[in-house]
Coordinates of all heavy atoms in Angstrom, one line a residue:
Q194 N 76.5 -63.9 108.0 CA 76.3 -64.1 106.5 C 77.5 -63.6 105.8 O 78.4 -62.9 106.5 CB 75.0 -63.3 106.2 CG 73.8 -64.1 106.6 CD 72.5 -63.3 106.3 OE1 72.3 -62.1 106.8 NE2 71.7 -63.9 105.4
P195 N 77.7 -64.0 104.6 CA 78.9 -63.7 103.9 C 79.2 -62.2 103.9 O 78.2 -61.4 103.7 CB 78.6 -64.3 102.5 CG 77.7 -65.5 102.7 CD 76.8 -64.9 103.9
L196 N 80.5 -61.9 104.0 CA 81.0 -60.5 104.2 C 82.2 -60.2 103.4 O 82.9 -61.2 103.1 CB 81.2 -60.2 105.7 CG 80.0 -60.0 106.6 CD1 80.6 -59.9 108.1 CD2 79.5 -58.6 106.3
V197 N 82.5 -59.0 103.1 CA 83.8 -58.5 102.8 C 84.4 -57.6 103.8 O 83.7 -56.7 104.4 CB 83.7 -57.7 101.4 CG1 85.1 -57.2 101.1 CG2 83.3 -58.7 100.3
F198 N 85.5 -57.9 104.3 CA 86.2 -57.1 105.4 C 87.3 -56.4 104.8 O 88.2 -57.0 104.1 CB 86.8 -58.0 106.5 CG 85.8 -59.1 107.1 CD1 85.5 -60.3 106.5 CD2 85.2 -58.8 108.3 CE1 84.6 -61.1 107.1 CE2 84.3 -59.8 108.9 CZ 84.1 -60.9 108.3
R199 N 87.3 -55.0 105.1 CA 88.4 -54.2 104.6 C 89.1 -53.4 105.7 O 88.4 -52.7 106.3 CB 88.0 -53.4 103.4 CG 87.7 -54.1 102.1 CD 87.5 -53.1 100.9 NE 88.8 -52.6 100.6 CZ 89.0 -51.3 100.3 NH1 88.1 -50.4 100.4 NH2 90.1 -50.9 100.0
R200 N 90.4 -53.6 105.9 CA 91.2 -52.8 106.8 C 92.0 -51.8 106.0 O 93.0 -52.3 105.3 CB 92.0 -53.6 107.8 CG 92.9 -52.9 108.7 CD 92.0 -52.5 110.0 NE 93.0 -52.0 111.0 CZ 92.7 -51.0 111.8 NH1 91.5 -50.4 111.7 NH2 93.5 -50.6 112.7
T201 N 91.7 -50.6 105.9 CA 92.3 -49.7 104.9 C 93.5 -48.8 105.8 O 93.4 -48.8 106.9 CB 91.2 -48.7 104.4 OG1 90.7 -47.9 105.5 CG2 90.1 -49.5 103.7
P202 N 94.4 -48.2 104.9 CA 95.3 -47.4 105.5 C 94.7 -46.2 106.3 O 95.3 -45.9 107.3 CB 96.1 -46.9 104.3 CG 96.0 -48.0 103.3 CD 94.6 -48.4 103.4
K203 N 93.6 -45.7 105.8 CA 93.1 -44.7 106.5 C 92.5 -45.1 107.9 O 92.7 -44.4 109.0 CB 91.8 -44.0 105.7 CG 91.1 -42.9 106.4 CD 89.9 -42.5 105.6 CE 89.2 -41.3 106.2 NZ 88.0 -40.7 105.4
L204 N 91.9 -46.2 108.0 CA 91.4 -46.8 109.3 C 92.6 -47.0 110.2 O 92.4 -46.9 111.4 CB 90.6 -48.1 109.0 CG 89.2 -47.8 108.4 CD1 88.6 -49.2 108.0 CD2 88.2 -47.0 109.3
I205 N 93.7 -47.5 109.6 CA 94.8 -47.9 110.4 C 95.4 -46.6 111.1 O 95.7 -46.5 112.3 CB 95.9 -48.5 109.6 CG1 95.3 -49.9 109.3 CG2 97.2 -48.7 110.4 CD1 96.2 -50.7 108.2
R206 N 95.4 -45.5 110.3 CA 95.9 -44.3 110.8 C 95.0 -43.7 111.9 O 95.4 -43.1 112.9 CB 96.0 -43.1 109.7 CG 97.2 -43.4 108.7 CD 97.4 -42.3 107.9 NE 96.3 -41.9 107.0 CZ 96.0 -42.4 105.8 NH1 96.8 -43.3 105.3 NH2 95.0 -42.0 105.1
Q207 N 93.7 -43.9 111.7 CA 92.7 -43.4 112.7 C 92.7 -44.2 114.0 O 92.5 -43.7 115.1 CB 91.3 -43.5 112.1 CG 91.1 -42.4 111.0 CD 89.7 -42.6 110.3 OE1 89.1 -43.6 110.5 NE2 89.3 -41.6 109.6
S208 N 92.9 -45.5 113.9 CA 92.9 -46.3 115.2 C 93.6 -47.7 114.9 O 93.3 -48.5 113.9 CB 91.4 -46.6 115.6 OG 91.4 -47.6 116.6
D209 N 94.6 -48.0 115.6 CA 95.3 -49.1 115.5 C 95.6 -49.8 117.0 O 96.5 -49.3 117.7 CB 96.7 -49.1 114.8 CG 97.4 -50.4 114.7 OD1 96.8 -51.5 114.9 OD2 98.6 -50.4 114.1
P210 N 94.9 -50.9 117.3 CA 95.1 -51.4 118.7 C 96.4 -52.3 118.7 O 96.7 -52.8 119.7 CB 93.8 -52.4 118.8 CG 93.4 -52.6 117.4 CD 93.7 -51.4 116.7
E211 N 97.1 -52.5 117.5 CA 98.3 -53.1 117.4 C 98.1 -54.6 118.1 O 98.7 -55.0 119.0 CB 99.4 -52.4 118.2 CG 99.8 -51.2 117.5 CD 101.2 -50.6 117.9 OE1 101.8 -51.3 118.8 OE2 101.6 -49.7 117.3
T212 N 97.2 -55.3 117.4 CA 97.0 -56.7 117.8 C 97.2 -57.7 116.6 O 97.1 -57.2 115.3 CB 95.6 -57.0 118.3 OG1 94.7 -56.5 117.2 CG2 95.3 -56.1 119.5
Y213 N 97.5 -59.0 116.9 CA 97.5 -60.0 115.8 C 96.0 -60.6 116.0 O 95.5 -60.8 117.1 CB 98.5 -61.0 116.0 CG 99.9 -60.5 115.7 CD1 100.9 -60.3 116.7 CD2 100.2 -60.2 114.3 CE1 102.1 -59.8 116.4 CE2 101.4 -59.7 114.0 CZ 102.4 -59.6 115.0 OH 103.7 -59.0 114.6
H214 N 95.4 -60.9 114.8 CA 94.1 -61.6 114.9 C 94.3 -62.9 114.2 O 94.9 -63.0 113.1 CB 93.1 -60.7 114.1 CG 91.9 -61.4 113.8 ND1 90.9 -61.8 114.8 CD2 91.4 -62.1 112.7 CE1 89.8 -62.4 114.2 NE2 90.2 -62.7 112.9
L215 N 93.8 -63.9 114.8 CA 93.9 -65.3 114.3 C 92.3 -65.7 114.2 O 91.6 -65.6 115.1 CB 94.7 -66.3 115.2 CG 96.1 -66.1 115.2 CD1 96.5 -65.0 116.2 CD2 96.8 -67.4 115.5
S216 N 91.9 -66.3 113.1 CA 90.6 -66.8 112.8 C 90.7 -68.3 112.5 O 91.4 -68.7 111.6 CB 90.0 -66.1 111.6 OG 89.6 -64.8 111.8
L217 N 90.1 -69.1 113.4 CA 90.1 -70.5 113.2 C 88.7 -70.6 112.3 O 87.6 -70.3 112.9 CB 89.9 -71.2 114.6 CG 89.5 -72.6 114.5 CD1 90.5 -73.5 113.6 CD2 89.3 -73.3 115.9
V218 N 88.8 -71.1 111.2 CA 87.7 -71.3 110.2 C 87.0 -72.6 110.7 O 87.5 -73.7 110.4 CB 88.1 -71.3 108.8 CG1 86.9 -71.4 107.9 CG2 88.9 -70.0 108.5
V219 N 85.7 -72.5 111.2 CA 84.9 -73.6 111.5 C 84.1 -74.0 110.4 O 84.0 -75.3 110.1 CB 84.0 -73.2 112.7 CG1 83.1 -74.4 113.1 CG2 84.9 -72.8 114.0
S220 N 83.5 -73.1 109.6 CA 82.8 -73.5 108.4 C 82.9 -72.2 107.4 O 83.2 -71.1 107.8 CB 81.3 -73.7 108.7 OG 80.6 -72.7 109.2
G221 N 82.6 -72.5 106.2 CA 82.7 -71.4 105.2 C 84.0 -71.4 104.5 O 85.0 -72.1 105.0
T222 N 84.2 -70.6 103.5 CA 85.4 -70.5 102.7 C 85.6 -69.1 102.4 O 84.7 -68.3 102.7 CB 85.5 -71.4 101.4 OG1 84.3 -70.9 100.6 CG2 85.3 -72.9 101.8
G223 N 86.8 -68.7 101.8 CA 87.0 -67.4 101.5 C 88.5 -67.1 101.0 O 89.2 -68.1 100.7
G224 N 88.9 -65.9 101.0 CA 90.2 -65.5 100.7 C 90.5 -64.2 101.2 O 89.7 -63.5 101.7
G225 N 91.9 -63.9 101.0 CA 92.3 -62.7 101.5 C 93.5 -62.1 100.7 O 94.2 -62.8 100.1
V226 N 93.6 -60.8 100.7 CA 94.8 -60.2 100.1 C 95.4 -59.2 101.0 O 94.7 -58.3 101.7 CB 94.3 -59.3 98.8 CG1 95.4 -58.6 98.2 CG2 93.5 -60.2 97.8
W227 N 96.8 -59.4 101.2 CA 97.5 -58.5 102.0 C 98.6 -57.8 101.0 O 98.6 -58.3 99.9 CB 98.2 -59.2 103.2 CG 97.3 -59.7 104.2 CD1 97.1 -59.1 105.4 CD2 96.4 -60.9 104.2 NE1 96.2 -59.7 106.2 CE2 95.7 -60.7 105.4 CE3 96.1 -61.8 103.3 CZ2 94.8 -61.8 105.8 CZ3 95.1 -62.7 103.7 CH2 94.6 -62.8 104.8
R228 N 99.3 -57.0 101.6 CA 100.3 -56.2 100.8 C 101.3 -57.2 100.2 O 101.8 -57.0 99.0 CB 101.0 -55.2 101.7 CG 102.0 -54.3 101.0 CD 102.4 -53.2 102.0 NE 103.0 -53.8 103.1 CZ 103.1 -53.1 104.3 NH1 102.6 -51.8 104.5 NH2 103.6 -53.7 105.3
H229 N 101.6 -58.3 100.9 CA 102.7 -59.1 100.5 C 102.2 -60.5 100.1 O 103.0 -61.4 99.6 CB 103.8 -59.3 101.5 CG 103.2 -59.9 102.8 ND1 102.2 -59.3 103.5 CD2 103.6 -61.0 103.5 CE1 101.9 -60.0 104.5 NE2 102.7 -61.0 104.6
R230 N 100.8 -60.8 100.2 CA 100.4 -62.2 100.1 C 98.9 -62.2 99.7 O 98.2 -61.4 100.2 CB 100.7 -63.0 101.4 CG 100.2 -64.4 101.3 CD 100.7 -65.2 102.6 NE 102.1 -65.4 102.6 CZ 102.9 -65.0 103.5 NH1 102.4 -64.3 104.6 NH2 104.1 -65.3 103.4
E231 N 98.5 -63.2 98.9 CA 97.2 -63.5 98.6 C 97.0 -64.9 98.9 O 97.8 -65.8 98.5 CB 96.9 -63.2 97.1 CG 95.4 -63.5 96.7 CD 95.1 -63.0 95.3 OE1 96.0 -62.4 94.6 OE2 94.0 -63.3 94.9
T232 N 95.9 -65.3 99.5 CA 95.6 -66.6 100.0 C 94.1 -67.0 100.0 O 93.3 -66.1 100.1 CB 96.2 -66.9 101.3 OG1 96.2 -68.3 101.7 CG2 95.4 -66.1 102.5
E233 N 93.9 -68.3 100.0 CA 92.6 -68.8 100.2 C 92.5 -69.6 101.5 O 93.4 -70.1 102.0 CB 92.1 -69.6 99.0 CG 92.0 -68.9 97.8 CD 91.5 -69.8 96.6 OE1 91.5 -71.0 96.8 OE2 91.2 -69.3 95.5
Y234 N 91.3 -69.7 102.1 CA 91.1 -70.5 103.2 C 89.9 -71.4 103.2 O 89.0 -71.1 102.4 CB 91.2 -69.6 104.5 CG 90.0 -68.5 104.6 CD1 88.9 -68.9 105.1 CD2 90.1 -67.2 104.2 CE1 87.9 -68.1 105.2 CE2 89.2 -66.3 104.2 CZ 88.0 -66.7 104.7 OH 87.0 -65.8 104.9
K235 N 89.9 -72.3 104.1 CA 88.8 -73.4 104.1 C 88.6 -73.9 105.6 O 89.5 -73.4 106.4 CB 89.2 -74.5 103.2 CG 90.4 -75.3 103.6 CD 90.8 -76.2 102.6 CE 92.1 -77.0 103.0 NZ 93.3 -76.2 103.3
P236 N 87.6 -74.5 105.9 CA 87.5 -75.1 107.3 C 88.6 -75.8 107.7 O 89.4 -76.5 107.1 CB 86.2 -76.0 107.1 CG 85.4 -75.5 105.9 CD 86.5 -75.0 105.0
H237 N 89.0 -75.6 109.1 CA 90.1 -76.1 109.8 C 91.4 -75.4 109.5 O 92.4 -75.7 110.1 CB 90.3 -77.6 109.4 CG 89.1 -78.4 109.6 ND1 88.5 -78.6 110.8 CD2 88.4 -79.1 108.7 CE1 87.4 -79.4 110.7 NE2 87.4 -79.7 109.4
D238 N 91.3 -74.2 108.7 CA 92.6 -73.4 108.6 C 92.5 -72.3 109.7 O 91.4 -72.0 110.2 CB 92.5 -72.6 107.3 CG 92.9 -73.5 106.1 OD1 93.5 -74.6 106.3 OD2 92.8 -73.1 104.9

């Protein structure tokens, strides 16, 4: 179900597996904010 995901500086200091994560969007939409970029996404992104 719809969620908000937050990866905070505190969580990064506590645990960082040093991975890249890629999400293939099958359905649903949304958006994200990073330190240097804000974007929206849709199916097939």
Side-chain angles (χ1 to χ4, degrees):
Q194 289 178 295
L196 282 167
V197 174
F198 307 82
R199 294 191 68 226
R200 179 82 172 142
T201 65
K203 180 180 179 180
L204 288 173
I205 293 170
R206 290 192 299 270
Q207 291 175 347
S208 174
D209 183 6
E211 296 199 353
T212 57
Y213 288 115
H214 168 77
L215 291 85
S216 289
L217 168 60
V218 183
V219 178
S220 65
T222 58
V226 179
W227 287 261
R228 186 171 54 202
H229 61 303
R230 180 175 287 124
E231 181 173 352
T232 189
E233 295 182 351
Y234 61 85
K235 60 187 182 304
H237 309 298
D238 280 347

